[in-house]
Amino acid sequence: MLLGFVLLYLVISIGIGVYAATKVHNARDYIAAGRSLPLYIVVAMVFATWFGAETVLGIPATFLEEDLGGLISDPFGAALCLVLFGLFFARKLYRMNLLTIADFYRERYDRRVEVVTGIAIALSYLGWVSAQITALGLVFNVLSDGLITQPQGILIGAAVVLIYTLFGGMWSVALTTFFQMIVIVLGLFYITWLVSGMTGGVAPVVEHALANEKFRFWPELNAVAMVAFVSGLITMGFGSIPQQDVFQRANSSKNEHVAVWGTVLGGLAYFLFAAVPLFLAYAAHLVDPAMTARLLTEDAQKILPSLVTGHLPLAAQVIFYGALLAVIMSTASGTLLAPSVTLSENVLKGFVTRRKHLSEKKLLVMTRWVVGVFAVLVTLYSLWSLERQTGIHEMVENAYKVTLVLAFVPLVAGLYWRRATTLGAYWAIGLGLVTWIPLEFAAIEDFMPPHFAGFLAAVVGMVVGSLTGQRRLQPA
């Protein structure tokens, strides 16, 4: 019966997505929803897209295994990204009337920078989308009591998300995420009310966590720990700023005011509401200590679903899994569309138009093909990550290393430093890449995170390359 209700929810979501396809008439509708969305829709999209599988399953698992400091990248870094983007990037980018974030690199630098950053941005989504698809596989596995294996659940989940994203594009994302945000908020608040009744309120759970030092946040006062802490914060705090999904939500707004505050308010809502899954998962310590201890050694990501399935009534289970699916699918649809749009608009379109003109209709067809191909790649990556036993939180955290190293510095310099040049962008990308990749294989993580070293090298490359290029242009 529970699985039947969940399947009904999936059918409703697909129906909304298919209805959204009727609003798509050209590539701009598909990618940016005609730049017509009001504030409440943009806030809902930002919140629901970022409030994904890692927030409900991955972050609580990390909190249970480590402490609050283990969440520095998400939700702290993720919320920082959204607030920074809204305050310092949304208005400037909105005024440029771009279609994708990678268009900025072409306008400010050149086609080569556009292609490299476009590929980097698209590749970064493999980890994030795969985390959502992996979570869908986990949900189907738990719901079916093992009848559906997690790999089979991954295939089912990927197919569902692909169907309603493929046809409706950004309109599909907008309408489904607004519906799903309502389900997420109401559903999780209801579950929290039930669970707090079982624990004697919120205070006993907080007191138990305090007694076990789970709220330790700041790093130890040594260079290695502090560098790791800062690196964790900026990996998502900076690395997720040059991302198509963040830009796409702001760019779909009906005006620049909505672009700014829709992103900021969505980020703040995400940060505050991320505390709800933490409370629910940690409450399992009081409700069922034996189950919690067992799953901490097996798979901490299953603690919250197991708590709901084993201790709450059927109605609450239906609401929880409906909310969980809303969480996952709202993120998966948006993050599946974003890299596909970037690849088609900023990488493939340039090669095609060298031979012939590409109409809006043909661009729309090509984008949908790329969505389908990227969905296949994501599914394969999810199955591979499952074999390697990569956690959902880790998959999301790893996703932003590439954009932190390759795309963030050229974006900030291009917007805020007039002396930034194309040569500086080349140097930033090249020096960041040749620093980061070898260090990944050198295994120096205990001394300095390789992607943090790559980020610092990109900053140096931008400054040196830009100033060198300007001296060359000066008359003798």
Side-chain angles (χ1 to χ4, degrees):
M1 184 179 294
L2 177 59
L3 187 59
F5 277 116
V6 170
L7 292 175
L8 177 62
Y9 175 80
L10 292 177
V11 171
I12 293 173
S13 294
I14 293 173
I16 294 174
V18 172
Y19 166 74
T22 62
K23 295 180 174 291
V24 176
H25 305 292
N26 52 51
R28 187 165 288 272
D29 284 343
Y30 191 79
I31 295 171
R35 301 188 99 195
S36 61
L37 301 180
L39 180 64
Y40 68 94
I41 292 288
V42 176
V43 171
M45 285 197 303
V46 171
F47 170 82
T49 298
W50 282 72
F51 201 90
E54 71 282 0
T55 317
V56 179
L57 301 177
I59 290 175
T62 301
F63 179 67
L64 292 174
E65 293 171 335
E66 301 176 27
D67 51 35
L68 193 63
L71 308 183
I72 184 61
S73 63
D74 194 5
F76 291 95
L80 175 66
C81 155
L82 295 171
V83 173
L84 289 178
F85 187 91
L87 295 178
F88 299 104
F89 296 88
R91 194 181 304 276
K92 285 177 174 287
L93 292 172
Y94 190 89
R95 289 175 178 176
M96 294 180 70
N97 195 26
L98 306 170
L99 198 58
T100 71
I101 185 69
D103 286 347
F104 168 82
Y105 298 96
R106 181 185 66 247
E107 296 288 334
R108 181 62 174 81
Y109 301 112
D110 65 10
R111 168 68 178 161
R112 294 185 184 90
V113 178
E114 175 196 18
V115 171
V116 172
T117 53
I119 292 173
I121 290 168
L123 287 177
S124 71
Y125 279 94
L126 276 176
W128 196 8
V129 188
S130 296
Q132 314 311 314
I133 301 302
T134 300
L136 281 175
L138 177 65
V139 170
F140 285 122
N141 177 250
V142 172
L143 280 176
S144 65
D145 199 21
L147 184 62
I148 299 175
T149 65
Q150 194 166 350
Q152 291 171 339
I154 287 173
L155 295 175
I156 295 171
V160 170
V161 172
L162 174 61
I163 288 172
Y164 76 78
T165 305
L166 184 64
F167 296 103
M170 197 60 187
W171 269 113
S172 175
V173 172
L175 296 183
T176 54
T177 51
F178 180 69
F179 165 69
Q180 288 159 347
M181 179 184 174
I182 297 172
V183 175
I184 293 166
V185 173
L186 296 181
L188 288 183
F189 270 137
Y190 175 64
I191 299 300
T192 301
W193 178 69
L194 290 178
V195 172
S196 62
M198 300 168 66
T199 60
V202 175
V205 178
V206 175
E207 290 169 0
H208 191 283
L210 279 170
N212 287 274
E213 299 184 330
K214 299 304 291 182
F215 291 111
R216 288 182 301 179
F217 180 72
W218 299 107
E220 297 178 7
L221 294 178
N222 63 72
V224 174
M226 293 178 71
V227 167
F229 184 84
V230 173
S231 173
L233 179 66
I234 70 170
T235 297
M236 288 190 71
F238 291 177
S240 50
I241 286 176
Q243 288 283 5
Q244 175 63 16
D245 67 284
V246 182
F247 168 81
Q248 207 163 7
R249 275 134 194 78
N251 198 49
S252 300
S253 305
K254 65 179 182 179
N255 56 53
E256 63 185 56
H257 177 78
V258 172
V260 172
W261 292 108
T263 310
V264 171
L265 293 175
L268 294 176
Y270 168 74
F271 180 74
L272 294 174
F273 205 69
V276 175
L278 294 181
F279 167 80
L280 290 173
Y282 198 84
H285 276 291
L286 280 67
V287 176
D288 194 337
M291 179 269 291
T292 305
R294 175 175 56 83
L295 289 179
L296 277 173
T297 61
E298 297 176 6
D299 187 354
Q301 295 172 155
K302 292 184 178 180
I303 289 177
L304 182 52
S306 298
L307 172 68
V308 172
T309 304
H311 296 275
L312 296 183
L314 178 61
Q317 294 178 41
V318 171
I319 291 171
F320 171 78
Y321 282 105
L324 181 58
L325 284 174
V327 161
I328 297 170
M329 293 196 300
S330 62
T331 302
S333 60
T335 51
L336 177 61
L337 179 63
S340 305
V341 165
T342 303
L343 285 174
S344 60
E345 170 68 16
N346 301 109
V347 179
L348 299 178
K349 180 182 175 181
F351 293 109
V352 173
T353 52
R354 286 181 180 179
R355 300 178 179 86
K356 59 181 179 180
H357 174 70
L358 193 66
S359 66
E360 283 281 313
K361 184 176 181 181
K362 290 181 179 178
L363 176 60
L364 177 59
V365 172
M366 183 174 70
T367 302
R368 281 176 166 156
W369 270 104
V370 176
V371 169
V373 172
F374 198 82
V376 173
L377 294 176
V378 162
T379 305
L380 295 175
Y381 185 79
S382 301
L383 295 172
W384 177 71
S385 297
L386 185 64
E387 286 291 322
R388 296 178 66 244
Q389 298 183 329
T390 305
I392 291 172
H393 190 205
E394 183 183 353
M395 291 170 72
V396 173
E397 203 172 11
N398 290 337
Y400 299 104
K401 293 179 179 179
V402 60
T403 44
L404 175 66
V405 174
L406 299 182
F408 177 72
V409 173
L411 175 64
V412 176
L415 286 173
Y416 284 99
W417 192 34
R418 292 182 179 180
R419 300 179 69 180
T421 65
T422 301
L423 181 61
Y426 290 166
W427 274 58
I429 293 171
L431 196 57
L433 193 62
V434 299
T435 302
W436 170 43
I437 296 299
L439 291 181
E440 285 285 352
F441 293 99
I444 64 161
E445 191 74 36
D446 292 336
F447 173 69
M448 175 180 285
H451 61 282
F452 185 66
F455 162 70
L456 296 178
V459 174
V460 173
M462 174 57 74
V463 173
V464 173
S466 295
L467 296 181
T468 300
Q470 287 172 351
R471 282 198 298 270
R472 288 178 179 176
L473 293 175
Q474 292 176 352

